[in-house]
């Protein structure tokens, strides 16, 4: 998954941290994920300031339970040595505690948010003549569960042959997914547009009947919030952290492709369901903002 | 307790379990040999309902039987739905035996209602009447008593409904809340064709207009728990309030999944029913001396608020009642009686208002924590219900 270069870069960065720390006065060391953990450990040995490790995703989750041993060790070492760990969801907190053996009292949860929650709902008007579409947006990696969505898609298409499935993103699984869509006989309904820019992504959200995040394991899943901001109903796996902050979404076990298909069809079929989900999830989202979350992090700084 | 000694208390127990819906996926067509395909019963496979029955119904029956035999002045009111009694006859006959024992004391008064706990009055008067008759017949068959007062926790109060009920022989009408609000009732009378009918209306706890009969609508919403479960708070209320009569409703389903809350609930019932400070015996919904002011439509319009239902609920219920057209056609045609019975039974079981209440998007998380909803979300409840209604619709089209 990662080239040798990446590890070299991580080691170089960690070495530089010592020097940077010595020359720049500071009060806390706030590092993000495994790549900066060693740098933070070095920094702390110089300044002896409190060290916070902010975990956005764990190797356990990224690899669906088969972690790269070196990365896992970097992560675990950072977690053990940090004075405080911030996890992006309760779900991630559980994993840090269960899979890395870290004391739960050391872990605080601060959920993610989205920029600009003010959305003009009227802007999301899907033209009547466009065929319904289901949107996926993530790295095409095993932990993101795109293959489960394809399998559910096959069941949907058997009943609703005009539904399109759009998979935005790049990744190691691309070829495998293309093959699978052929194998399932649904290649005409499936589109892989690759990587899109911000505007194109927003447009894709707005055009979609439903956004699906079928992750096998998702620390948070900020794209779900972006979909809501764009007025798109969301179906996410029960294994996603974002479900802790937005309740007005549909949820399904990632492996339950029958139920996934059932829910996709329900949203496409029942306009009332789509509009209630849209309305209620936007209301929820508007109660979230980054300022609030930043305030929580500052509070954590003060406890150290 | 000088003041509360004069208080009279009406105790009402609500007993209702619907036929819960089977999990029904849109594309998984099942053969509609019988309406069974759409429903779960109270059998062992239905863990959700079984738990409520085991944790609440059996112990509550035992408790109430004991309290009734200990206190000869204790007088209780019960509202059963027909679907509940019918399921108990099949799966929990001991409960039926217990209820019969209670009624045989002569101090348990059983009310009438719609058989399916439906909101049929708002959609089909003909259907409403049929369900009320079915219910009254079942009460007679089981308890050998005539239900001569009406109890209802589904419909919103209206003078028209009250008048109609009076017209078909119900002298008293105990009407309760809409979609799960904590409410208290007030007792007022309504003038109907020179005769009076007793109406017990819902009212807010804090509402100063409540004059005579208060009913704590227990078992609906957690917000009143503090007041309800605190005996001293209740005593204070009773001793300071100007009202002379107080009514309290209890839900047999309340707190079934929360052991500590359930214990407090049972203890509260025990304390209340053993309390000597008020006379539980002396008030009855059929007691003609408790008459009060007239109810005008205007008085109650604020409680008659249909806008509380969300779009999912409104759509679901209207789709269901649209099917009546097919059913009437089937009824008129020459079809085997079994076929007719089958489709009507399915349609009526779907009318149990619980299915619609499960789609309520307000506070569903707290309700779910109390496991009062057998779905992960109100959206899931809607999807499952609509899948069944659509499937049933197709079946009906085939038959007609």
């Amino acid at each position: 998954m990662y080239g040798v270069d990446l590890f070299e870069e991580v080691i170089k960065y960690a070495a530089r941290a010592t020097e940077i720390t010595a020359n720049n006065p500071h009060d806390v060391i706030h590092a993000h994920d495994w790549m900066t953990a060693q740098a933070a450990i070095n920094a702390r040995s110089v300044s002896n300031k409190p060290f916070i490790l902010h975990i956005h995703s764990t190797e356990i989750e990224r690899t669906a339970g088969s972690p790269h041993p070196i990365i896992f060790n970097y992560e675990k070492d950072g977690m053990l040595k940090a004075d405080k760990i911030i996890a992006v969801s309760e779900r991630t907190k559980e994993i840090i505690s269960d899979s890395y053996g870290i004391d739960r009292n050391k872990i605080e949860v601060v959920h993610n948010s989205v920029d600009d929650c003010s959305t003009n709902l009227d802007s999301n008007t899907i033209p009547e003549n466009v065929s319904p579409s289901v949107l996926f947006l993530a790295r095409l990696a095993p932990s993101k569960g795109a293959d489960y969505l394809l399998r559910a898609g096959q069941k949907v298409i058997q009943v609703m042959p005009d539904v399109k499935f759009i998979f935005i993103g790049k990744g190691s699984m691309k070829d495998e997914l293309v093959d699978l869509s052929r194998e399932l006989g649904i290649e005409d309904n499936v589109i892989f547009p690759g990587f899109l820019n911000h505007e194109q992504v927003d447009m894709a959200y707005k055009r979609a009947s439903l956004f699906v995040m079928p992750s096998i394991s998702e620390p948070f899943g900020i794209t779900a919030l972006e979909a809501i901001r764009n007025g798109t109903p969301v179906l996410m796996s029960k294994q996603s952290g974002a479900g802790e902050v937005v309740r007005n979404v549909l949820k399904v076990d990632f492996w339950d492709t029958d139920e996934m298909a059932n829910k996709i069809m329900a949203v496409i079929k029942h306009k009332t369901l789509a509009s209630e989900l849209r309305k209620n999830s936007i209301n929820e989202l508007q109660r979230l903002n980054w300022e609030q979350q930043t305030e929580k992090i500052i509070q954590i700084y003060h406890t150290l | 307790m000088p003041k509360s000694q004069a208080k009279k208390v009406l105790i009402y127990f609500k007993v209702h379990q619907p036929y819960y819906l089977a999990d029904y996926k849109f594309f998984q067509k099942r053969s509609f040999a019988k309406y069974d395909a759409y429903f779960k019963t109270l059998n062992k496979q239905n863990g959700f309902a079984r738990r409520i029955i085991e944790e609440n119904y059996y112990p509550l029956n035992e408790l109430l039987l004991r309290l009734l035999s200990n206190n000869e002045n204790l007088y209780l009111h019960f509202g059963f739905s027909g679907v509940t009694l019918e399921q108990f006859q099949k799966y929990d006959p001991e409960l039926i035996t217990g209820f019969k024992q209670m009624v045989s004391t002569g101090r348990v008064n059983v009310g009438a209602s719609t058989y399916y706990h439906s909101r049929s009055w708002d959609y089909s008067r003909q259907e409403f009447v049929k369900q009320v008759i079915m219910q009254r017949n079942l009460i007679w068959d089981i308890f050998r008593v005539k239900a001569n007062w009406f109890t209802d926790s589904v419909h919103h109060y209206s003078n028209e409904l009250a008048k109609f009920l009076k017209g078909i022989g119900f002298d008293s009408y105990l009407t309760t809340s809409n979609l799960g609000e904590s409410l208290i009732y007030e007792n007022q009378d309504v003038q109907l064709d020179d005769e009076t009918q007793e109406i017990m209306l819902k009212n807010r706890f804090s509402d100063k207009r409540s004059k005579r009969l208060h009913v704590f609508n227990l078992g609906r919403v957690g917000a009143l728990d503090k007041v309800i479960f605190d005996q001293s708070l209740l005593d204070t209320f009773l001793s300071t309030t100007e009202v002379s009569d107080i009514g309290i409703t209890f839900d047999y389903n309340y707190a079934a999944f929360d052991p500590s809350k359930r214990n407090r609930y049972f203890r509260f019932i025990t304390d209340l029913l053993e309390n000597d400070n008020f006379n539980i015996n002396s008030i009855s919904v059929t007691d003609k001396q408790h008459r009060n002011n007239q109810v005008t439509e205007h008085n109650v319009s604020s409680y008659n608020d249909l806008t509380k239902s969300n779009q999912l609920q409104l759509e679901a219920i209207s789709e269901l009642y649209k099917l009546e057209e097919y059913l009437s056609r089937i009824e008129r045609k020459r079809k085997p009686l079994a076929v007719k019975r089958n489709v009507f039974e399915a349609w009526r079981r779907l009318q149990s208002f619980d299915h619609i209440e499960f789609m309520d998007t307000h506070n569903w998380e707290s309700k779910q924590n109390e496991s009062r909803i057998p779905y992960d979300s109100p959206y899931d409840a809607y999807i499952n219900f609509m899948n069944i209604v659509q499937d049933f619709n197709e079946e009906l089209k085939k038959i007609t």
Side-chain angles (χ1 to χ4, degrees):
Chain A
M1 191 169 180
Y2 304 103
V4 180
D5 291 348
L6 182 64
F7 291 118
E8 277 174 16
E9 291 301 319
V10 166
I11 292 163
K12 268 195 224 163
Y13 180 68
R16 280 270 288 155
T18 317
E19 176 197 331
I20 296 169
T21 312
N23 297 330
N24 295 285
H26 56 276
D27 297 312
V28 289
I29 302 158
H30 190 144
H32 298 270
D33 284 349
W34 72 274
M35 286 178 276
T36 59
Q38 187 57 44
I41 293 167
N42 291 356
R44 202 174 83 154
S45 68
V46 175
S47 70
N48 206 26
K49 297 288 185 190
F51 160 32
I52 294 156
L53 184 59
H54 201 139
I55 299 291
H56 301 266
S57 92
T58 60
E59 182 66 2
I60 294 281
E61 289 168 287
R62 283 187 298 267
T63 59
S66 340
H68 190 297
I70 298 177
I71 295 174
F72 182 83
N73 284 340
Y74 269 121
E75 269 178 344
K76 187 166 179 175
D77 198 33
M79 289 173 185
L80 285 169
K81 289 179 178 151
D83 298 293
K84 205 67 162 175
I85 296 170
I86 297 176
V88 291
S89 62
E90 293 289 345
R91 177 183 167 76
T92 298
K93 178 176 173 172
E94 290 297 314
I95 290 167
I96 295 170
S97 154
D98 295 348
S99 301
Y100 295 82
I102 305 295
D103 178 7
R104 301 175 59 85
N105 295 323
K106 205 168 111 170
I107 313 166
E108 299 285 342
V109 174
V110 179
H111 290 112
N112 285 332
S113 187
V114 276
D115 296 327
D116 181 24
C117 300
S118 60
T119 304
N120 181 6
L121 262 185
D122 299 336
S123 68
N124 185 309
T125 41
I126 306 163
E128 284 290 325
N129 53 357
V130 171
S131 45
S133 66
V134 174
L135 181 68
F136 169 98
L137 195 159
R139 267 183 307 116
L140 301 179
S143 68
K144 299 296 183 182
D147 44 336
Y148 291 95
L149 178 55
L150 276 179
R151 288 181 198 282
Q154 184 196 32
K155 296 173 212 264
V156 173
I157 291 161
Q158 277 168 5
V159 184
M160 300 175 160
D162 62 333
V163 180
K164 300 274 183 270
F165 288 80
I166 303 165
F167 291 79
I168 300 179
K170 287 179 175 174
S172 59
M173 261 187 106
K174 168 82 186 290
D175 294 344
E176 198 181 311
L177 292 168
V178 172
D179 289 346
L180 179 62
S181 69
R182 271 197 214 107
E183 214 175 281
L184 297 169
I186 56 170
E187 68 273 23
D188 292 343
N189 294 61
V190 181
I191 302 159
F192 292 95
F195 190 82
L196 302 182
N197 68 30
H198 269 298
E199 277 162 27
Q200 290 168 316
V201 165
D202 275 356
M203 183 57 74
Y205 278 129
K206 286 189 164 67
R207 290 246 164 149
S209 316
L210 176 69
F211 175 74
V212 183
M213 187 165 77
S215 303
I216 291 168
S217 185
E218 188 66 63
F220 190 81
I222 214 158
T223 47
L225 303 193
E226 285 169 3
I228 292 169
R229 190 185 59 190
N230 281 289
T232 316
V234 169
L235 167 60
M236 64 169 77
S237 70
K238 290 181 183 171
Q239 293 72 22
S240 301
E244 294 165 21
V245 294
V246 279
R247 270 85 174 172
N248 288 287
V249 294
L250 299 177
K251 291 180 188 170
V252 64
D253 283 307
F254 71 87
W255 45 262
D256 190 352
T257 53
D258 277 352
E259 186 57 19
M260 202 183 285
N262 185 40
K263 285 184 168 154
I264 291 170
M265 284 189 267
V267 173
I268 292 171
K269 201 153 58 86
H270 303 298
K271 300 274 175 272
T272 315
L273 176 62
S275 72
E276 282 289 306
L277 281 167
R278 191 177 294 139
K279 185 181 80 191
N280 296 334
S281 61
I282 286 215
N283 281 340
E284 261 188 313
L285 197 65
Q286 279 164 347
R287 273 179 254 132
L288 303 175
N289 59 63
W290 281 118
E291 284 74 30
Q292 230 173 43
Q293 306 310 87
T294 312
E295 190 50 46
K296 282 184 194 161
I297 292 174
I298 294 170
Q299 291 301 324
I300 293 170
Y301 288 165
H302 285 303
T303 63
L304 295 168
Chain B
M1 289 287 141
K3 265 193 170 182
S4 66
Q5 283 190 352
K7 308 267 185 250
K8 296 169 182 175
V9 177
L10 178 149
I11 305 289
Y12 169 77
F13 285 91
K14 179 188 164 187
V15 183
H16 171 61
Q17 282 290 313
Y19 282 97
Y20 292 95
L21 301 183
D23 300 324
Y24 214 83
K25 294 198 203 316
F26 177 51
F27 53 91
Q28 285 176 333
K29 181 80 197 98
R30 295 176 205 187
S31 68
F32 183 79
K34 205 161 176 257
Y35 48 78
D36 288 12
Y38 297 149
F39 303 97
K40 294 175 186 167
T41 58
L42 291 183
N43 67 12
K44 285 196 187 99
Q45 280 79 51
N46 189 349
F48 177 82
R50 271 324 316 161
R51 205 168 152 198
I52 299 174
I53 304 294
E54 305 296 340
E55 303 284 1
N56 271 28
Y57 282 64
Y58 282 97
L60 263 175
N61 260 23
E62 205 185 306
L63 174 66
L64 294 178
L65 274 167
R66 182 166 56 79
L67 293 170
L68 278 164
S69 75
N70 290 352
N71 178 359
E72 292 206 337
N73 294 320
L74 185 59
Y75 200 91
L76 304 176
H77 293 80
F78 268 80
F80 301 97
S81 68
V83 279
T84 311
L85 293 171
E86 175 188 296
Q87 292 188 88
F88 288 167
Q89 283 180 314
K90 192 162 178 196
Y91 299 101
D92 296 274
E94 277 176 60
L95 288 176
I96 296 284
T97 310
F99 289 128
K100 277 164 103 168
Q101 269 175 281
M102 289 186 217
V103 174
S104 70
T105 62
R107 288 177 280 121
V108 167
N109 199 341
V110 182
S113 60
T114 60
Y115 193 96
Y116 293 87
H117 193 68
S118 73
R119 201 181 255 187
S120 43
W121 171 260
D122 294 338
Y123 294 87
S124 167
R125 302 284 152 97
Q126 181 187 309
E127 181 58 21
F128 175 78
V129 174
K130 282 183 189 164
Q131 292 186 18
V132 172
I133 294 169
M134 283 174 78
Q135 166 75 4
R136 207 154 42 169
N137 290 343
L138 185 70
I139 296 292
W140 174 258
D141 287 347
I142 293 177
F143 300 112
R144 294 284 143 184
V145 294
K146 201 177 158 218
N148 56 4
W149 56 283
F150 197 80
T151 165
D152 186 357
S153 55
V154 181
H155 292 95
H156 297 276
Y157 175 81
S158 77
N159 276 356
E160 198 193 351
L161 174 54
K163 190 170 178 171
F164 183 84
L165 290 169
K166 175 73 187 167
I168 57 172
F170 296 110
D171 290 335
S172 298
Y173 172 23
L174 180 70
T175 172
T176 60
S177 85
N178 56 356
L179 297 177
E181 278 225 356
S182 280
L183 298 163
I184 284 185
Y185 301 77
E186 86 184 18
N187 175 15
Q188 294 180 320
D189 287 355
V190 65
Q191 195 80 28
L192 292 161
D193 307 330
D194 301 327
E195 282 186 64
T196 52
Q197 176 192 29
E198 194 174 58
I199 306 289
M200 275 148 273
L201 280 182
K202 58 195 175 185
N203 209 332
R204 285 179 194 283
F205 183 53
S206 56
D207 196 319
K208 295 285 181 282
R209 291 191 304 130
S210 311
K211 289 189 184 69
R212 294 195 65 205
L213 185 73
H214 280 62
V215 175
F216 286 44
N217 189 3
L218 227 165
R220 286 301 233 164
V221 159
L224 273 182
D225 285 359
K226 269 198 280 284
V227 179
I228 283 160
F229 288 131
D230 189 324
Q231 188 69 39
S232 65
L233 274 177
L234 181 68
D235 284 344
T236 310
F237 169 72
L238 295 180
S239 58
T240 54
T241 182
E242 292 297 311
V243 299
S244 59
D245 305 334
I246 294 132
I248 304 185
T249 72
F250 293 98
D251 190 333
Y252 250 62
N253 299 334
Y254 187 66
F257 295 81
D258 183 335
S260 77
K261 199 182 247 183
R262 186 177 63 241
N263 287 343
R264 273 184 288 143
Y265 183 51
F266 288 4
R267 201 178 318 127
F268 180 82
I269 292 174
T270 314
D271 289 350
L272 183 77
L273 301 191
E274 285 179 338
N275 194 326
D276 294 333
N277 284 332
F278 29 79
N279 305 318
I280 285 172
N281 60 318
S282 55
I283 181 170
S284 145
V285 284
T286 52
D287 188 344
K288 290 285 185 286
Q289 60 180 316
H290 298 287
R291 285 192 174 144
N292 210 339
N293 305 323
Q294 278 191 26
V295 174
T296 66
E297 199 83 52
H298 179 73
N299 280 36
V300 295
S301 60
S302 61
Y303 312 118
N304 193 10
D305 184 5
L306 283 167
T307 59
K308 279 198 162 61
S309 303
N310 65 40
Q311 292 304 314
L312 301 176
Q313 294 173 304
L314 293 173
E315 186 189 355
I317 198 165
S318 99
E319 288 297 312
L320 177 66
Y321 281 101
K322 270 187 208 161
L323 302 179
E324 189 175 21
E325 201 193 315
Y326 292 118
L327 286 147
S328 321
R329 251 185 273 162
I330 292 169
E331 199 176 24
R332 283 195 303 271
K333 281 192 175 173
R334 267 172 188 271
K335 294 275 178 195
L337 200 59
V339 171
K340 292 183 181 180
R341 220 181 265 158
N342 201 16
V343 292
F344 271 95
E345 181 62 17
W347 184 52
R348 287 178 175 149
R349 286 184 185 187
L350 287 168
Q351 290 179 45
S352 289
F353 200 63
D354 312 64
H355 309 314
I356 303 294
E357 281 181 308
F358 294 147
M359 300 173 200
D360 186 6
T361 49
H362 292 108
N363 305 318
W364 55 271
E365 279 214 306
S366 66
K367 284 182 215 158
Q368 206 192 6
N369 287 341
E370 292 172 16
S371 295
R372 280 189 283 158
I373 306 175
Y375 294 96
D376 285 347
S377 83
Y379 307 108
D380 290 13
Y382 168 87
I383 292 171
N384 202 43
F385 183 86
M386 293 301 275
N387 284 349
I388 290 176
V389 168
Q390 180 168 4
D391 190 82
F392 188 40
N393 189 342
E394 284 163 19
E395 289 298 329
L396 291 175
K397 273 185 201 159
K398 272 188 235 161
I399 299 170
T400 39

